[in-house]
Amino acid sequence: MNVVLPKKLYSGDLIGITAPASFGDPVEMERAAGYLIQLGLRVELGHSLYRQHGYLAGTDEERARELNDMFRNPEIKAIICARGGYGTARIVDLLDYETIKANPKIFWGFSDITFLHQAIYKQTGLVTFHGPMLTSLCAESLHPFTLSGFHQLFHPTPVQYTEDISELTTLVEGTASGVVVGGNLSLIVSSLGTPHEIDTKDRLLLMEDIDEEPYRIDRMLNQLLQAGKLKDAAGIIVGDFHECEPQRKISFSLEEVIIHYLKKAGKPALAGFCIGHCSPNIAIPLGLEAELSTADKTLIWRGPAVTE
């Protein structure tokens, strides 16, 4: 697949903010958008930020139409998702991938947005970004590393994750390289058997999640193992599993579950990445080749994620 890089941002560029999954507090969303304005960007808030349809930010058709329109609009240079929650898998078949391919631009989000990352990459080859959304920017105190992740959108330099950011732990030794794919474990698993199923062959698989007990993580990793997704991967990037501790008296620990399956997979694996529902929440590109080294304890992309 040909890699498609979005163009970098310049001060004064217009970015669109949309809620393709669940709805949030519009007042908080508007406040959080102020951080993006401080970066020198202009902001267009989508109507989805003010809609409620059950637990969704509007009907499937409304959310898909807004996302399609933002890709179609030449004035909008980047699209930042307001929040995750649930709902992106419901709109992937309503997206205009020809429009997205003809108008490649920065697309940014995580958690439930994982399903959109997978679908867009599979259909277009566009590099997208796993990074903090407006809900992440609503926190009372923001870690400098969370905010600094946006700088990669302005400067075409390769992203590097080292132990200067967080302590990394080797689970399976080795060096591996490949395109980085994945994101939220629950969404990765929910893609299996669909036209948008994740392809991990010779790729670096990123996994993170939130509010899932170890037995649920066990079930999902077992499914990925049986589906061949763990053994197909070149290497594994273990992000943050936030509040995934056992709630029952007798249980394996989260660490025991993850180690059990990654040792079965036998592919180089590093854990401890602050990627996901955590602070700091480090932003990284998806769909771009990187190298994972357990000896150096690094994850380094081989090129910039944006172009001039």
Side-chain angles (χ1 to χ4, degrees):
M1 180 182 295
N2 292 328
V3 174
V4 179
L5 298 181
K7 291 184 178 180
K8 75 173 188 177
L9 293 179
Y10 293 87
S11 180
D13 277 350
L14 178 67
I15 62 170
I17 298 178
T18 185
S22 295
F23 65 87
D25 183 336
V27 175
E28 287 295 300
M29 297 295 155
E30 290 175 16
R31 181 177 67 82
Y35 287 104
L36 302 176
I37 294 171
Q38 290 176 23
L39 295 175
L41 299 167
R42 295 182 295 122
V43 170
E44 179 178 302
L45 300 176
H47 294 296
S48 57
L49 272 66
Y50 307 97
R51 290 193 179 114
Q52 292 186 23
H53 179 66
Y55 36 73
L56 304 170
T59 65
D60 295 342
E61 291 74 17
E62 287 171 334
R63 289 176 288 118
R65 185 184 309 117
E66 182 168 281
L67 187 52
N68 285 330
D69 287 345
M70 285 187 175
F71 269 105
R72 192 175 291 116
N73 185 345
E75 293 185 10
I76 293 178
K77 305 302 181 184
I79 301 169
I80 308 293
C81 294
R83 65 157 301 170
Y86 170 75
T88 61
R90 293 175 53 138
I91 69 171
V92 288
D93 293 332
L94 300 175
L95 297 186
D96 185 346
Y97 294 103
E98 289 303 316
T99 290
I100 295 173
K101 193 171 184 177
N103 299 276
K105 59 187 66 176
I106 292 162
F107 179 72
W108 180 287
F110 79 107
S111 194
D112 196 68
I113 311 304
T114 295
F115 215 102
L116 290 180
H117 286 308
Q118 288 182 188
I120 290 172
Y121 176 68
K122 198 165 189 175
Q123 295 291 331
T124 71
L126 178 63
V127 170
T128 59
F129 295 84
H130 186 284
M133 301 175 288
L134 263 62
T135 46
S136 306
L137 303 181
C138 286
E140 291 185 7
S141 61
L142 285 172
H143 197 287
F145 284 167
T146 297
L147 291 176
S148 66
F150 289 97
H151 295 164
Q152 66 186 282
L153 304 183
F154 296 85
H155 308 289
T157 54
V159 173
Q160 298 188 19
Y161 198 117
T162 70
E163 287 197 296
D164 290 337
I165 299 173
S166 65
E167 182 179 352
L168 300 175
T169 303
T170 298
L171 302 184
V172 180
E173 292 184 352
T175 299
S177 62
V179 168
V180 179
V181 297
N184 185 266
L185 178 60
S186 298
L187 273 296
I188 293 170
V189 170
S190 73
S191 76
L192 299 181
T194 76
H196 314 286
E197 179 173 315
I198 191 168
D199 181 4
T200 63
K201 184 67 175 176
D202 299 325
R203 296 174 175 177
L204 298 180
L205 175 61
L206 165 68
M207 301 185 301
E208 65 85 31
D209 219 316
I210 183 173
D211 291 337
E212 298 286 359
E213 287 192 59
Y215 80 90
R216 294 176 180 174
I217 301 295
D218 189 314
R219 181 177 61 214
M220 289 186 279
L221 290 178
N222 186 51
Q223 187 172 356
L224 284 185
L225 183 71
Q226 292 188 0
K229 299 301 180 180
L230 296 182
K231 289 187 177 180
D232 278 351
I236 311 290
I237 304 162
V238 181
D240 188 70
F241 280 75
H242 187 64
E243 296 184 352
C244 290
E245 297 307 314
Q247 300 302 309
R248 54 192 68 203
K249 291 182 179 180
I250 301 175
S251 172
F252 291 116
S253 69
L254 173 66
E255 292 76 13
E256 287 173 321
V257 170
I258 291 175
I259 289 171
H260 172 78
Y261 284 101
L262 297 197
K263 285 192 177 297
K264 277 195 168 188
K267 299 304 174 73
L270 266 180
F273 291 92
C274 290
I275 301 172
H277 299 77
C278 52
S279 180
N281 181 355
I282 306 300
I284 62 166
L286 299 173
L288 195 63
E289 191 165 340
E291 182 174 288
L292 180 76
S293 171
T294 64
D296 298 333
K297 292 190 175 178
T298 57
L299 175 62
I300 299 176
W301 276 257
R302 292 186 170 174
V306 293
T307 187
E308 297 285 352

